[in-house]
């Protein structure tokens, strides 16, 4: 047995191996130690291997999913080795001591889950692969729980941002890639060849050409080939359901890098949970599919104005008709998740209940489609979606006739095919029921014959049907002429058989076995009928999700008094009464009122410099406007009284930072890297929010960096930007930069206490109120008093010297300074001047000569 196990373990590689033994999956050696620690189960041992006891632990087969979920969540991959023949078949093949054959039937990984218990119903579960070819880069991604398959054409610079948008459970890459740090698993280069990828796609979809699916780059084919090869590897030949790939380009969505997503908490909060994110604050969907689609919309706001308006028109329909909205939402709430039910059936892990969910979901979709068809003046998107809800009449009728109203999850015990669907099956069931009635009659007859009132006829998997009596009453049945045959003696009972019972039991057992076989055959046929229509069924699931998203956004807009944004072509950002949806909800729960603020960025005022005290609301103001841009281009109403926005091609947020010790980066270094990326990538159509740039270094360095960044954004990037700072010296730039305007968050001191008004006003703040905020934070009076004394001294010195920014007015602007010739450095002279000749040894002097000669050649 261990030889078989070791061979399978070598095949499993770095996966934990679940090795089926009877009713348990066993783990051995290091796998057992890992599983014992993660699952908190007992570690035992058995036998010996190379002189040592073999560690082992096991999990019950019937509870496997719960243990798998914990192992996958802990970052492990699991190979499942199951029995491929019965013990009887093994004995017939190789004698009484034959070992039952086993094989790895599936590799369970985070990105290839389909089980309902292992997935979050409200989040997509992407498995992504990165492909490279001909200097291009592409991502292929699939959610095999629903069959969604996408190809994203991108480039090396945007790859990280696209993967951050998808947030895949797994990312696969070639083992010789330059992007290994982005991958969770590396696969052979052969899997990522574009020609092989093209062949795999043609074979998968049974086509001679891929032209019908769109234009594929060589990098896209490489990515798709790598992904399909990985899915084939994990499924061990039983490839899950994949829909034809949908090709998109990164430019079709607003570009949002990973740092911006993290700081804005678009779909995940800083704590790593859905709660507290923008998605959580907006989500009012009533189906899992709708929640998944909303998450995708927010993660990838559109750049196509017509598509955005089409989404908004559908939201408007439901927003303006509360009765229709509630009716639609009530209908959707009752529908099962047909997309994931279809995915389980296609993966060969479906159940009768999944077929029942298809029946009920498609029937509900049909009725919803008929209702929506009767609407007058339906928006174009709804007219496109409504027909996709219908067209499954024959399949609905078949599943309605074939299945019981509530099919079970487990098909092993039968009982899911409806009475009247198959006359032969009904006869078998009648025979079994008649036999069970005969067994009940025999029980009564045996009690009367023996006089043992406690006599019972029972059934188990070992003895089958048998007679059971208390041990104290068994002597009479032990007599040779009693008509009963002794089978088993236990502590309190004795078990017997009888010829009449045996004859009836054989009939019942045979009828039951034949009935189970007949039901299994029907299940296979019904599954085949459903999978034959998998593309239209998947389209219906998508249409239901889109309607749910629109109705949910309408509900959120009505609930919060949100406004429909007006998208325009020119570069502007005009918000009246804007709010932060997450903070507003938190303030409301605390019984407070969120203070709304306006934001008007235009060509003449595209850069706002915002000053004011800490806790005054600067960061909230910056973030809320970035979130409004995301919501608007995702096709949602926005938390504002009125909103007019020019499309944003790239969104950047440098608000708050933490160190990245794993990559050797301090907090300030992270800030500088992110700021450098903004200056390198932002275009005139971009929207940038920057908070406290330069604060992580010395005052002079920080002010210098902040000053240069403001000038660069104003002169070079020319994008819409909100820049919050405590460097009041930067307000001098308003005199030199014609598109920069000054604003501040209002605060007042009243009887020695700081009152934060959270209102935005024009002009610079009069001071920072830092010491007043320190007092609010609970700093001791003595420390506050000392800080006030030091501040008075510093301000007196600044008044005498002209302050930190003295002399900066004489500097040329960034654009002019950029063309100024840098001071030339004579490296040879500098090196000569630094040499201490008297301290050199002969060997060191020779080394210096060689170094000077090298510098002379470079000059």
């Amino acid at each position: 047995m261990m030889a078989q196990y070791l061979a399978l373990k070598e095949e499993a590689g770095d996966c934990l191996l679940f090795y089926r033994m009877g009713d348990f999956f066993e783990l051995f050696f290091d796998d057992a130690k890992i599983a014992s620690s993660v699952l908190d189960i007992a570690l035992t041992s058995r036998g010996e291997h190379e002189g040592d006891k073999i560690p082992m632990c096991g999990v019950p087969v019937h509870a496997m999913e719960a243990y798998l979920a914990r192992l996958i969540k802990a970052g492990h991959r699991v190979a499942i080795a199951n029995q491929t023949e019965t013990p009887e078949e093994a004995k017939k093949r190789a004698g009484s001591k034959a070992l039952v054959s086993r094989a790895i039937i599936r590799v369970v990984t985070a990105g290839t889950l389909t089980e309902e218990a292992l997935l979050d119903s409200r989040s997509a579960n992407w498995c992504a692969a990165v492909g490279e070819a001909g200097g291009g880069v592409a991502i292929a991604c699939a959610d095999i729980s629903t069959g969604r398959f996408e190809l994203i054409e991108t480039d090396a610079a945007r790859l990280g941002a696209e993967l951050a948008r998808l947030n895949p459970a797994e990312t696969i890459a070639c083992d010789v890639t330059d992007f290994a740090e982005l991958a969770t698993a590396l696969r052979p280069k052969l899997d990522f060849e574009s020609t092989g990828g093209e062949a795999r796609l043609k074979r998968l979809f049974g086509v001679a050409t891929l032209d019908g699916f769109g234009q594929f780059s060589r990098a896209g084919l490489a990515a798709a080939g790598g992904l399909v090869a990985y899915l084939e590897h994990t499924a061990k030949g039983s490839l899950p359901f994949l829909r034809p790939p949908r090709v998109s380009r990164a430019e079709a969505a607003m570009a949002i890098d990973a740092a911006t997503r993290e700081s804005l908490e678009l779909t995940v909060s800083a704590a790593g949970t859905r709660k507290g994110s923008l998605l959580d604050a907006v989500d009012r969907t009533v189906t899992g599919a709708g929640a998944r689609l909303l998450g995708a919309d927010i993660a990838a706001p559109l750049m196509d104005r017509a598509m955005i308006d089409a989404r908004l028109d559908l939201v408007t329909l439901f927003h303006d008709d509360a009765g229709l909205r509630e009716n639609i939402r009530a209908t959707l709430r009752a529908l099962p998740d047909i997309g994931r039910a279809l995915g389980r059936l296609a993966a060969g892990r479906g159940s009768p209940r999944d077929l029942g969910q298809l029946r009920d979901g498609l029937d509900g979709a049909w009725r919803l489609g008929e209702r929506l068809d009767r609407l007058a003046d339906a928006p174009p998107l709804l007219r496109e979606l409504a027909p996709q809800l219908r067209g499954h009449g024959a399949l609905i009728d078949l599943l309605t006739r074939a299945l019981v109203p509530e099919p079970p999850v487990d098909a092993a015990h039968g009982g899911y095919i409806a009475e009247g669907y198959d006359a032969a099956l009904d006869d078998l069931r009648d025979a079994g029921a008649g036999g069970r009635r005969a067994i009940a009659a025999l029980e009564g007859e045996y009690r009367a014959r023996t006089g043992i009132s406690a006599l019972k006829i029972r059934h188990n998997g070992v003895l089958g049907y048998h007679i059971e009596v208390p041990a104290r009453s068994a002597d009479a049945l032990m007599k040779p002429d009693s008509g009963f045959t002794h089978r088993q003696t236990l502590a309190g009972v004795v078990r017997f058989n009888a010829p009449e019972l045996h004859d009836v039991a054989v009939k019942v057992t045979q009828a039951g076995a034949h009935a189970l076989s007949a039901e299994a055959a029907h299940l296979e046929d019904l599954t085949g009928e459903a999978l034959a229509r998998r593309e239209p069924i998947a389209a219906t699931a998508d249409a239901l999700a889109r309607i749910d998203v629109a109705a949910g956004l309408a509900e959120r807009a009505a609930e919060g008094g949100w406004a429909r944004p007006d998208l325009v072509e020119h570069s502007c950002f005009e918000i009246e009464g804007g709010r932060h949806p997450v903070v507003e909800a938190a303030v409301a729960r605390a019984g407070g009122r969120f203070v709304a603020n306006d934001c008007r960025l235009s060509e003449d005022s595209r850069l706002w410099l915002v000053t004011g005290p800490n806790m005054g609301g600067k960061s909230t103001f910056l973030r809320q406007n970035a979130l409004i841009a995301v919501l608007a281009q995702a096709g949602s109403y926005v938390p504002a009284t009125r909103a007019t926005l020019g499309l944003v091609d790239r969104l950047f947020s440098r608000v708050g930072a933490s160190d990245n010790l794993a990559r050797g980066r301090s907090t300030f270094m992270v800030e500088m890297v992110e700021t450098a990326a903004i200056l390198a990538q932002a275009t005139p159509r971009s929207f940038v929010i920057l908070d406290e740039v330069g604060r992580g270094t010395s005052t002079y360095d920080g002010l210098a960096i902040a000053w240069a960044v403001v000038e660069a954004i104003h002169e070079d990037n020319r994008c819409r930007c909100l820049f919050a700072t405590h460097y009041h010296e930067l307000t001098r730039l308003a005199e030199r930069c014609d598109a920069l305007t000054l604003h501040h968050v209002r605060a007042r001191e009243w009887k020695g206490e700081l009152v934060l008004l959270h209102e935005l006003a024009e002009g610079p703040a009069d001071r920072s109120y830092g010491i007043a905020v320190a007092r609010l934070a609970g700093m001791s009076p003595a420390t506050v008093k000392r800080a006030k004394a030091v501040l008075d001294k510093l301000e007196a010195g600044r008044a005498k010297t002209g302050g930190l920014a003295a002399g900066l007015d004489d500097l040329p602007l960034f654009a002019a300074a950029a063309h100024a010739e840098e001071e030339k450095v004579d490296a040879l002279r500098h090196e000569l001047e630094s040499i201490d000749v008297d301290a050199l040894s002969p060997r060191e002097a020779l080394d210096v000569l060689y170094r000077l000669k090298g510098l002379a050649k470079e000059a």
Side-chain angles (χ1 to χ4, degrees):
M1 187 204 79
M2 287 311 298
Q4 184 188 68
Y5 168 82
L6 291 171
L8 291 170
K9 176 58 185 171
E10 184 175 358
E11 181 185 343
D14 61 352
C15 300
L16 302 180
L17 181 62
F18 270 32
Y19 182 83
R20 178 75 178 264
M21 294 178 65
D23 292 333
F24 280 79
F25 282 109
E26 300 290 355
L27 298 98
F28 299 98
F29 301 106
D30 289 342
D31 286 3
K33 295 176 182 178
I34 293 170
S36 172
S37 173
V38 174
L39 302 176
D40 194 23
I41 55 179
L43 182 67
T44 60
S45 62
R46 62 171 291 167
E48 289 189 357
H49 179 71
E50 297 180 354
D52 296 321
K53 287 282 188 182
I54 301 172
M56 67 175 291
C57 66
V59 301
V61 171
H62 70 271
M64 177 186 70
E65 284 192 358
Y67 291 105
L68 270 179
R70 292 167 65 183
L71 289 170
I72 297 299
K73 189 174 182 180
H76 298 287
R77 303 161 72 234
V78 180
I80 299 176
N82 216 334
Q83 296 171 184
T84 57
E85 62 180 355
T86 65
E88 292 75 18
E89 290 170 336
K91 289 177 183 177
K92 187 176 180 181
R93 171 177 54 82
S96 59
K97 294 186 178 180
L99 180 65
V100 174
S101 295
R102 294 174 175 84
I104 296 176
I105 61 168
R106 182 189 173 197
V107 177
V108 184
T109 68
T112 58
L113 299 175
T114 57
E115 289 83 354
E116 194 171 7
L118 305 184
L119 291 169
D120 180 355
S121 65
R122 302 185 73 79
S123 299
N125 194 59
W126 291 109
C127 183
V130 178
E132 306 162 69
V137 181
I139 302 169
C141 54
D143 181 350
I144 68 168
S145 69
T146 60
R148 286 183 64 190
F149 187 12
E150 297 186 7
L151 280 179
I152 304 162
E153 303 287 352
T154 183
D155 53 48
R158 295 181 64 142
L159 178 64
E162 288 302 309
L163 288 174
R165 171 179 72 81
L166 291 167
N167 190 25
E170 281 188 278
T171 302
I172 315 304
C174 172
D175 55 11
V176 292
T177 183
D178 292 332
F179 307 111
E181 66 178 15
L182 299 174
T184 57
L186 299 177
R187 299 287 297 164
K189 186 177 188 304
L190 185 64
D191 290 351
F192 287 84
E193 291 184 352
S194 59
T195 53
E198 183 175 5
R200 282 195 185 94
L201 289 180
K202 289 178 179 177
R203 186 170 61 250
L204 174 62
F205 296 108
V207 295
T209 176
L210 299 176
D211 292 347
F213 302 143
Q215 295 298 314
F216 296 82
S217 68
R218 305 313 297 178
L221 291 171
L227 179 62
V228 172
Y230 181 70
L231 295 179
E232 287 175 340
H233 163 72
T234 58
K236 295 301 174 184
S238 178
L239 192 66
F241 167 48
L242 289 179
R243 300 171 66 183
R246 187 180 67 183
V247 182
S248 64
R249 299 194 173 277
E251 295 79 10
M254 180 193 294
I256 310 174
D257 61 29
T260 299
R261 289 180 189 279
E262 185 177 345
S263 70
L264 294 179
E265 301 176 289
L266 295 184
T267 56
V268 179
S269 71
T273 62
R274 197 175 193 270
K275 187 172 181 60
S277 67
L278 172 66
L279 175 59
D280 181 62
V282 170
D283 189 4
R284 296 297 183 272
T285 58
V286 294
T287 69
R292 297 192 295 270
L293 182 58
L294 178 61
D297 288 349
I298 288 178
L302 298 173
M303 284 300 298
D304 188 315
R305 182 180 166 192
M307 292 177 65
I308 297 170
D309 283 334
R311 289 184 185 179
L312 287 170
D313 287 343
L314 187 55
V315 176
T316 299
L317 170 70
F318 295 132
H319 177 271
D320 295 347
D321 191 335
L324 173 65
R325 180 174 75 245
E326 186 50 45
N327 190 287
I328 295 296
R329 284 165 57 80
T331 300
L332 290 170
R333 192 178 285 113
L335 298 184
D337 193 336
I338 60 176
R340 284 198 164 164
L342 180 65
R344 289 189 292 273
L345 289 167
R349 293 187 278 275
S351 69
R353 190 179 72 169
D354 291 319
L355 285 173
Q357 288 185 338
L358 285 188
R359 173 198 62 198
D360 299 340
L362 294 175
D363 184 53
W366 181 288
R367 298 175 191 279
L368 179 60
E370 287 187 323
R371 189 179 314 149
L372 293 175
D373 261 351
R374 293 193 292 268
L375 292 177
D377 300 322
L381 182 55
L382 187 60
R383 290 198 298 271
E384 177 185 326
L385 295 173
Q388 297 175 24
L389 301 178
R390 302 189 305 280
H392 306 288
L395 181 61
I396 296 169
D397 179 64
L398 173 63
L399 296 177
T400 301
R401 288 186 294 107
L403 297 172
V404 297
E406 296 291 336
V409 175
D410 188 0
H413 303 295
Y416 47 85
I417 298 298
E419 185 177 349
Y421 179 70
D422 180 353
L425 174 59
D426 292 343
D427 291 342
L428 289 171
R429 287 173 171 170
D430 289 342
R436 285 188 289 274
R437 286 192 294 270
I439 288 173
L442 275 176
E443 184 178 79
E445 181 184 327
Y446 289 151
R447 285 177 182 173
R449 186 198 306 175
T450 62
I452 303 172
S453 61
L455 181 148
K456 293 181 179 178
I457 295 179
R458 296 189 181 278
H459 181 276
N460 66 31
V462 178
L463 298 180
Y465 286 98
H466 57 274
I467 300 154
E468 185 175 280
V469 299
R472 64 179 181 275
S473 306
D475 289 345
L477 277 64
M478 287 288 194
K479 294 177 181 180
D481 58 350
S482 67
F484 296 92
T485 304
H486 176 254
R487 294 296 306 276
Q488 190 177 41
T489 299
L490 301 178
V493 297
V494 182
R495 292 168 174 171
F496 299 88
N497 204 347
E500 304 95 329
L501 177 59
H502 175 73
D503 292 341
V504 175
V506 167
K507 293 178 182 178
V508 171
T509 303
Q510 288 179 344
H514 291 153
L516 285 177
S517 297
E519 288 203 70
H522 286 310
L523 179 62
E524 185 175 348
D525 290 343
L526 294 170
T527 300
E529 290 290 335
L531 294 181
R533 292 192 53 77
R534 56 189 177 186
E535 289 298 333
I537 293 172
T540 298
D542 289 348
L544 290 171
R546 177 55 65 196
I547 292 169
D548 185 25
V549 167
L553 290 175
E555 179 75 11
R556 183 65 182 92
E559 172 190 305
W562 292 11
R564 174 172 175 160
D566 182 18
L567 280 301
V568 296
E569 292 298 333
H570 60 280
S571 180
C572 70
F573 198 90
E574 299 175 5
I575 308 296
E576 290 183 10
R579 289 112 62 197
H580 191 301
V582 181
V583 177
E584 183 180 27
V587 169
R589 285 194 296 272
R593 183 183 66 86
F594 186 90
V595 178
N597 279 296
D598 298 347
C599 179
R600 292 186 176 86
L601 300 176
S602 62
E603 189 58 38
D604 297 332
S605 178
R606 52 183 152 78
L607 198 165
W608 279 22
L609 197 66
V610 184
T611 54
N614 284 312
M615 297 176 60
K618 297 192 302 296
S619 295
T620 298
F621 175 72
L622 266 59
R623 283 187 170 99
Q624 77 187 32
N625 286 292
L627 296 183
I628 285 172
V630 169
L631 288 173
Q633 290 183 218
S636 169
Y637 278 36
V638 298
T641 305
R642 189 183 70 83
T644 303
L645 300 88
L647 289 177
V648 173
D649 65 347
R650 292 170 178 260
L651 180 65
F652 294 99
S653 168
R654 233 274 356 128
V655 180
S658 58
D659 55 25
N660 188 337
L661 299 181
R663 299 183 64 180
R665 291 177 177 176
S666 66
T667 301
F668 180 68
M669 183 61 174
V670 170
E671 175 184 315
M672 290 298 98
V673 168
E674 293 175 2
T675 305
I678 293 170
L679 296 179
Q681 299 174 35
T683 74
R685 298 183 71 194
S686 300
F687 186 76
V688 176
I689 60 173
L690 291 165
D691 191 11
E692 307 295 352
V693 169
R695 63 184 167 182
T697 185
S698 74
T699 303
Y700 283 100
D701 280 357
L703 173 58
I705 291 169
W707 186 288
V709 168
V710 171
E711 285 190 343
I713 287 175
H714 183 274
E715 296 296 311
D716 284 0
N717 299 103
R718 306 183 70 82
C719 55
R720 290 158 289 182
C721 177
L722 300 175
F723 192 110
T725 185
H726 279 290
Y727 291 127
H728 288 259
E729 292 79 4
L730 294 180
T731 59
R732 295 189 182 187
L733 283 166
E735 302 167 7
R736 302 151 58 86
C737 301
D738 54 6
L740 184 151
T741 55
L742 304 178
H743 303 266
H744 69 279
V745 288
R746 296 179 60 210
R748 291 289 181 270
E749 282 195 273
W750 176 254
K751 297 182 178 179
E753 296 294 325
L754 179 65
V755 180
L756 300 169
L757 302 178
H758 302 290
E759 292 179 0
L760 205 72
E762 292 186 359
D766 53 356
R767 53 197 178 95
S768 290
Y769 298 97
I771 292 177
V773 172
R775 186 188 300 115
L776 275 181
M779 191 173 285
S780 68
T783 306
V784 171
K785 184 176 180 182
R786 177 58 177 166
K788 183 68 170 64
V790 172
L791 176 64
D792 291 343
K793 200 76 172 174
L794 289 172
E795 288 184 336
R798 182 172 64 180
K800 290 180 181 179
T801 63
L804 284 176
L808 289 181
D809 291 332
D810 298 331
L811 276 175
L813 275 176
F814 184 86
H819 295 292
E821 184 178 358
E822 292 186 7
E823 179 185 354
K824 290 185 178 179
V825 177
D826 188 336
L828 192 60
R829 180 182 296 277
H830 178 76
E831 183 70 18
L832 281 168
E833 290 175 349
S834 66
I835 296 173
D836 184 354
V837 177
D838 294 333
L840 293 177
S841 68
R843 177 65 186 177
E844 290 170 339
L846 186 61
D847 290 341
V848 167
L849 281 173
Y850 279 118
R851 189 163 68 249
L852 292 173
K853 188 174 181 181
L855 289 173
K857 287 181 179 180
E858 293 174 5

